[in-house]
Amino acid sequence: MKLPNVLKSTHIAVALTALTLATPMLAETHKMACDATMMHGAIAQLSATHASVNTSILIDAPAAIVWSALTDFEAMANWSTGTLQGISGDIQNGGSVVITFLFGADESGVPIVNKIPHTLIYEEGAKIGWSDPFPADIGGGHDNHIYHVQPCADRTLFVQSDEIVDNPYAANFAAQLMPLYQQFNAELKAAVEKE
């Protein structure tokens, strides 16, 4: 079986390097996290089939402004050049939605647009995400992908995390996802702060 482009073994080295250089972010106290000024990321391989990726960035804007930009799904592709491009459907907790995102690239390097149905996890003003099965052809299992907006006085700690469970390529996925999530976080920060 030919592995999907996203599962190439060279990405394991990226994961190990990222893990070595990463600063723990969720173990920090709330105050320390709110004082952070740099983008943080960490990968944890919890077992052969279970890995997590956690990223965060401090945004110089109130949480309500960050939430508004994060959930303006029609405008998202104007500033997001990778991963999440938008969500359509029943935007409420438990709603059926279609997530449009970029992941992987074809032979000529053009990003692959994916449209995947999910059941939405939604808490107004605080978090949005999903936890649904992966297709069998990429190892099965499921992920727990969450975008979390956390007020930090007049600023916002934005956290994007994912947990890949019961998938033999979990560490490879985490290695590829971390830089994409950090890119999204930085682009969200830039979009919000330029307003």
PDB file of all heavy atoms in Angstrom, residues 131-154:
ATOM      1  N   SER A 131     -14.533  15.764  16.646  1.00  0.00           N
ATOM      2  CA  SER A 131     -13.884  14.505  17.009  1.00  0.00           C
ATOM      3  C   SER A 131     -14.585  13.401  16.234  1.00  0.00           C
ATOM      4  O   SER A 131     -15.618  12.892  16.670  1.00  0.00           O
ATOM      5  CB  SER A 131     -13.988  14.256  18.512  1.00  0.00           C
ATOM      6  OG  SER A 131     -13.377  13.028  18.849  1.00  0.00           O
ATOM      7  N   ASP A 132     -14.052  13.105  15.073  1.00  0.00           N
ATOM      8  CA  ASP A 132     -14.700  12.151  14.174  1.00  0.00           C
ATOM      9  C   ASP A 132     -13.686  11.161  13.624  1.00  0.00           C
ATOM     10  O   ASP A 132     -12.475  11.385  13.673  1.00  0.00           O
ATOM     11  CB  ASP A 132     -15.371  12.896  13.019  1.00  0.00           C
ATOM     12  CG  ASP A 132     -16.610  13.658  13.468  1.00  0.00           C
ATOM     13  OD1 ASP A 132     -17.429  13.063  14.190  1.00  0.00           O
ATOM     14  OD2 ASP A 132     -16.752  14.830  13.103  1.00  0.00           O
ATOM     15  N   PRO A 133     -14.168  10.045  13.064  1.00  0.00           N
ATOM     16  CA  PRO A 133     -13.276   9.003  12.542  1.00  0.00           C
ATOM     17  C   PRO A 133     -12.449   9.462  11.344  1.00  0.00           C
ATOM     18  O   PRO A 133     -12.889  10.290  10.552  1.00  0.00           O
ATOM     19  CB  PRO A 133     -14.231   7.888  12.124  1.00  0.00           C
ATOM     20  CG  PRO A 133     -15.521   8.174  12.801  1.00  0.00           C
ATOM     21  CD  PRO A 133     -15.573   9.657  12.986  1.00  0.00           C
ATOM     22  N   PHE A 134     -11.246   8.885  11.230  1.00  0.00           N
ATOM     23  CA  PHE A 134     -10.414   9.009  10.034  1.00  0.00           C
ATOM     24  C   PHE A 134     -10.802   7.883   9.078  1.00  0.00           C
ATOM     25  O   PHE A 134     -11.181   6.792   9.521  1.00  0.00           O
ATOM     26  CB  PHE A 134      -8.938   8.826  10.380  1.00  0.00           C
ATOM     27  CG  PHE A 134      -8.234  10.046  10.906  1.00  0.00           C
ATOM     28  CD1 PHE A 134      -6.975   9.928  11.458  1.00  0.00           C
ATOM     29  CD2 PHE A 134      -8.791  11.304  10.847  1.00  0.00           C
ATOM     30  CE1 PHE A 134      -6.284  11.023  11.936  1.00  0.00           C
ATOM     31  CE2 PHE A 134      -8.117  12.419  11.323  1.00  0.00           C
ATOM     32  CZ  PHE A 134      -6.857  12.273  11.873  1.00  0.00           C
ATOM     33  N   PRO A 135     -10.653   8.108   7.782  1.00  0.00           N
ATOM     34  CA  PRO A 135     -10.908   7.013   6.826  1.00  0.00           C
ATOM     35  C   PRO A 135      -9.938   5.846   7.041  1.00  0.00           C
ATOM     36  O   PRO A 135      -8.787   6.044   7.458  1.00  0.00           O
ATOM     37  CB  PRO A 135     -10.655   7.666   5.466  1.00  0.00           C
ATOM     38  CG  PRO A 135     -10.722   9.140   5.699  1.00  0.00           C
ATOM     39  CD  PRO A 135     -10.300   9.363   7.120  1.00  0.00           C
ATOM     40  N   ALA A 136     -10.390   4.646   6.742  1.00  0.00           N
ATOM     41  CA  ALA A 136      -9.565   3.442   6.914  1.00  0.00           C
ATOM     42  C   ALA A 136      -8.305   3.490   6.056  1.00  0.00           C
ATOM     43  O   ALA A 136      -7.258   2.979   6.457  1.00  0.00           O
ATOM     44  CB  ALA A 136     -10.383   2.199   6.587  1.00  0.00           C
ATOM     45  N   ASP A 137      -8.382   4.128   4.872  1.00  0.00           N
ATOM     46  CA  ASP A 137      -7.216   4.135   3.978  1.00  0.00           C
ATOM     47  C   ASP A 137      -6.061   4.989   4.499  1.00  0.00           C
ATOM     48  O   ASP A 137      -4.955   4.931   3.962  1.00  0.00           O
ATOM     49  CB  ASP A 137      -7.605   4.547   2.553  1.00  0.00           C
ATOM     50  CG  ASP A 137      -8.116   5.972   2.452  1.00  0.00           C
ATOM     51  OD1 ASP A 137      -8.509   6.557   3.483  1.00  0.00           O
ATOM     52  OD2 ASP A 137      -8.130   6.508   1.323  1.00  0.00           O
ATOM     53  N   ILE A 138      -6.285   5.785   5.554  1.00  0.00           N
ATOM     54  CA  ILE A 138      -5.176   6.514   6.179  1.00  0.00           C
ATOM     55  C   ILE A 138      -4.982   6.056   7.624  1.00  0.00           C
ATOM     56  O   ILE A 138      -4.452   6.793   8.448  1.00  0.00           O
ATOM     57  CB  ILE A 138      -5.332   8.041   6.073  1.00  0.00           C
ATOM     58  CG1 ILE A 138      -6.621   8.534   6.758  1.00  0.00           C
ATOM     59  CG2 ILE A 138      -5.255   8.504   4.633  1.00  0.00           C
ATOM     60  CD1 ILE A 138      -6.687  10.045   6.897  1.00  0.00           C
ATOM     61  N   GLY A 139      -5.413   4.847   7.913  1.00  0.00           N
ATOM     62  CA  GLY A 139      -5.105   4.240   9.208  1.00  0.00           C
ATOM     63  C   GLY A 139      -6.248   4.149  10.190  1.00  0.00           C
ATOM     64  O   GLY A 139      -6.117   3.528  11.239  1.00  0.00           O
ATOM     65  N   GLY A 140      -7.374   4.793   9.897  1.00  0.00           N
ATOM     66  CA  GLY A 140      -8.508   4.723  10.809  1.00  0.00           C
ATOM     67  C   GLY A 140      -8.269   5.506  12.083  1.00  0.00           C
ATOM     68  O   GLY A 140      -7.438   6.402  12.145  1.00  0.00           O
ATOM     69  N   GLY A 141      -8.994   5.156  13.125  1.00  0.00           N
ATOM     70  CA  GLY A 141      -8.930   5.901  14.368  1.00  0.00           C
ATOM     71  C   GLY A 141      -9.721   7.185  14.247  1.00  0.00           C
ATOM     72  O   GLY A 141     -10.632   7.308  13.416  1.00  0.00           O
ATOM     73  N   HIS A 142      -9.385   8.160  15.068  1.00  0.00           N
ATOM     74  CA  HIS A 142     -10.074   9.441  15.019  1.00  0.00           C
ATOM     75  C   HIS A 142      -9.171  10.549  15.566  1.00  0.00           C
ATOM     76  O   HIS A 142      -8.108  10.275  16.112  1.00  0.00           O
ATOM     77  CB  HIS A 142     -11.392   9.395  15.810  1.00  0.00           C
ATOM     78  CG  HIS A 142     -11.204   9.266  17.289  1.00  0.00           C
ATOM     79  ND1 HIS A 142     -10.942   8.067  17.912  1.00  0.00           N
ATOM     80  CD2 HIS A 142     -11.225  10.194  18.272  1.00  0.00           C
ATOM     81  CE1 HIS A 142     -10.827   8.256  19.216  1.00  0.00           C
ATOM     82  NE2 HIS A 142     -10.984   9.536  19.457  1.00  0.00           N
ATOM     83  N   ASP A 143      -9.622  11.781  15.368  1.00  0.00           N
ATOM     84  CA  ASP A 143      -8.887  12.904  15.940  1.00  0.00           C
ATOM     85  C   ASP A 143      -9.820  13.733  16.815  1.00  0.00           C
ATOM     86  O   ASP A 143     -11.036  13.596  16.754  1.00  0.00           O
ATOM     87  CB  ASP A 143      -8.222  13.762  14.860  1.00  0.00           C
ATOM     88  CG  ASP A 143      -9.181  14.671  14.114  1.00  0.00           C
ATOM     89  OD1 ASP A 143     -10.374  14.332  14.010  1.00  0.00           O
ATOM     90  OD2 ASP A 143      -8.736  15.719  13.621  1.00  0.00           O
ATOM     91  N   ASN A 144      -9.226  14.549  17.650  1.00  0.00           N
ATOM     92  CA  ASN A 144      -9.940  15.484  18.518  1.00  0.00           C
ATOM     93  C   ASN A 144      -9.322  16.859  18.274  1.00  0.00           C
ATOM     94  O   ASN A 144      -8.343  17.222  18.911  1.00  0.00           O
ATOM     95  CB  ASN A 144      -9.775  15.095  19.996  1.00  0.00           C
ATOM     96  CG  ASN A 144     -10.306  13.714  20.287  1.00  0.00           C
ATOM     97  OD1 ASN A 144     -11.430  13.392  19.963  1.00  0.00           O
ATOM     98  ND2 ASN A 144      -9.482  12.876  20.890  1.00  0.00           N
ATOM     99  N   HIS A 145      -9.880  17.604  17.328  1.00  0.00           N
ATOM    100  CA  HIS A 145      -9.298  18.875  16.891  1.00  0.00           C
ATOM    101  C   HIS A 145     -10.101  20.023  17.499  1.00  0.00           C
ATOM    102  O   HIS A 145     -11.291  20.133  17.263  1.00  0.00           O
ATOM    103  CB  HIS A 145      -9.336  18.940  15.369  1.00  0.00           C
ATOM    104  CG  HIS A 145      -8.525  20.048  14.786  1.00  0.00           C
ATOM    105  ND1 HIS A 145      -8.192  20.091  13.465  1.00  0.00           N
ATOM    106  CD2 HIS A 145      -7.971  21.161  15.330  1.00  0.00           C
ATOM    107  CE1 HIS A 145      -7.470  21.168  13.220  1.00  0.00           C
ATOM    108  NE2 HIS A 145      -7.332  21.843  14.348  1.00  0.00           N
ATOM    109  N   ILE A 146      -9.429  20.874  18.270  1.00  0.00           N
ATOM    110  CA  ILE A 146     -10.109  21.965  18.972  1.00  0.00           C
ATOM    111  C   ILE A 146      -9.370  23.291  18.757  1.00  0.00           C
ATOM    112  O   ILE A 146      -8.147  23.357  18.848  1.00  0.00           O
ATOM    113  CB  ILE A 146     -10.199  21.689  20.499  1.00  0.00           C
ATOM    114  CG1 ILE A 146     -10.980  20.400  20.775  1.00  0.00           C
ATOM    115  CG2 ILE A 146     -10.812  22.874  21.241  1.00  0.00           C
ATOM    116  CD1 ILE A 146     -12.459  20.461  20.487  1.00  0.00           C
ATOM    117  N   TYR A 147     -10.145  24.340  18.492  1.00  0.00           N
ATOM    118  CA  TYR A 147      -9.673  25.719  18.465  1.00  0.00           C
ATOM    119  C   TYR A 147     -10.272  26.375  19.704  1.00  0.00           C
ATOM    120  O   TYR A 147     -11.491  26.372  19.875  1.00  0.00           O
ATOM    121  CB  TYR A 147     -10.172  26.450  17.217  1.00  0.00           C
ATOM    122  CG  TYR A 147      -9.782  25.800  15.921  1.00  0.00           C
ATOM    123  CD1 TYR A 147     -10.516  24.738  15.399  1.00  0.00           C
ATOM    124  CD2 TYR A 147      -8.689  26.267  15.187  1.00  0.00           C
ATOM    125  CE1 TYR A 147     -10.164  24.144  14.198  1.00  0.00           C
ATOM    126  CE2 TYR A 147      -8.338  25.680  13.982  1.00  0.00           C
ATOM    127  CZ  TYR A 147      -9.086  24.619  13.493  1.00  0.00           C
ATOM    128  OH  TYR A 147      -8.741  24.038  12.304  1.00  0.00           O
ATOM    129  N   HIS A 148      -9.425  26.950  20.559  1.00  0.00           N
ATOM    130  CA  HIS A 148      -9.891  27.482  21.835  1.00  0.00           C
ATOM    131  C   HIS A 148      -9.459  28.938  21.973  1.00  0.00           C
ATOM    132  O   HIS A 148      -8.279  29.253  21.806  1.00  0.00           O
ATOM    133  CB  HIS A 148      -9.313  26.645  22.975  1.00  0.00           C
ATOM    134  CG  HIS A 148      -9.870  26.970  24.318  1.00  0.00           C
ATOM    135  ND1 HIS A 148      -9.256  26.590  25.480  1.00  0.00           N
ATOM    136  CD2 HIS A 148     -10.976  27.637  24.708  1.00  0.00           C
ATOM    137  CE1 HIS A 148      -9.959  27.008  26.511  1.00  0.00           C
ATOM    138  NE2 HIS A 148     -10.997  27.646  26.063  1.00  0.00           N
ATOM    139  N   VAL A 149     -10.410  29.801  22.295  1.00  0.00           N
ATOM    140  CA  VAL A 149     -10.168  31.228  22.499  1.00  0.00           C
ATOM    141  C   VAL A 149     -10.265  31.505  23.993  1.00  0.00           C
ATOM    142  O   VAL A 149     -11.315  31.298  24.595  1.00  0.00           O
ATOM    143  CB  VAL A 149     -11.205  32.058  21.709  1.00  0.00           C
ATOM    144  CG1 VAL A 149     -11.082  33.537  22.031  1.00  0.00           C
ATOM    145  CG2 VAL A 149     -11.055  31.805  20.215  1.00  0.00           C
ATOM    146  N   GLN A 150      -9.154  31.943  24.593  1.00  0.00           N
ATOM    147  CA  GLN A 150      -9.085  32.147  26.044  1.00  0.00           C
ATOM    148  C   GLN A 150      -8.727  33.596  26.349  1.00  0.00           C
ATOM    149  O   GLN A 150      -7.645  34.058  25.983  1.00  0.00           O
ATOM    150  CB  GLN A 150      -8.035  31.214  26.630  1.00  0.00           C
ATOM    151  CG  GLN A 150      -7.817  31.369  28.113  1.00  0.00           C
ATOM    152  CD  GLN A 150      -6.714  30.438  28.611  1.00  0.00           C
ATOM    153  OE1 GLN A 150      -6.424  29.407  28.028  1.00  0.00           O
ATOM    154  NE2 GLN A 150      -6.101  30.835  29.712  1.00  0.00           N
ATOM    155  N   PRO A 151      -9.624  34.332  27.034  1.00  0.00           N
ATOM    156  CA  PRO A 151      -9.309  35.722  27.387  1.00  0.00           C
ATOM    157  C   PRO A 151      -8.087  35.811  28.304  1.00  0.00           C
ATOM    158  O   PRO A 151      -7.923  34.989  29.209  1.00  0.00           O
ATOM    159  CB  PRO A 151     -10.557  36.198  28.124  1.00  0.00           C
ATOM    160  CG  PRO A 151     -11.630  35.228  27.769  1.00  0.00           C
ATOM    161  CD  PRO A 151     -10.946  33.918  27.495  1.00  0.00           C
ATOM    162  N   CYS A 152      -7.255  36.810  28.049  1.00  0.00           N
ATOM    163  CA  CYS A 152      -6.094  37.119  28.894  1.00  0.00           C
ATOM    164  C   CYS A 152      -6.091  38.628  29.083  1.00  0.00           C
ATOM    165  O   CYS A 152      -5.400  39.353  28.358  1.00  0.00           O
ATOM    166  CB  CYS A 152      -4.804  36.677  28.220  1.00  0.00           C
ATOM    167  SG  CYS A 152      -4.610  34.910  28.055  1.00  0.00           S
ATOM    168  N   ALA A 153      -6.914  39.115  30.016  1.00  0.00           N
ATOM    169  CA  ALA A 153      -7.127  40.553  30.211  1.00  0.00           C
ATOM    170  C   ALA A 153      -7.624  41.134  28.883  1.00  0.00           C
ATOM    171  O   ALA A 153      -8.645  40.675  28.373  1.00  0.00           O
ATOM    172  CB  ALA A 153      -5.875  41.219  30.726  1.00  0.00           C
ATOM    173  N   ASP A 154      -6.893  42.096  28.294  1.00  0.00           N
ATOM    174  CA  ASP A 154      -7.356  42.681  27.030  1.00  0.00           C
ATOM    175  C   ASP A 154      -6.745  41.985  25.811  1.00  0.00           C
ATOM    176  O   ASP A 154      -6.890  42.449  24.689  1.00  0.00           O
ATOM    177  CB  ASP A 154      -7.054  44.179  27.000  1.00  0.00           C
ATOM    178  CG  ASP A 154      -5.568  44.488  27.142  1.00  0.00           C
ATOM    179  OD1 ASP A 154      -4.797  43.576  27.520  1.00  0.00           O
ATOM    180  OD2 ASP A 154      -5.182  45.642  26.883  1.00  0.00           O
TER     181      ASP A 154
END
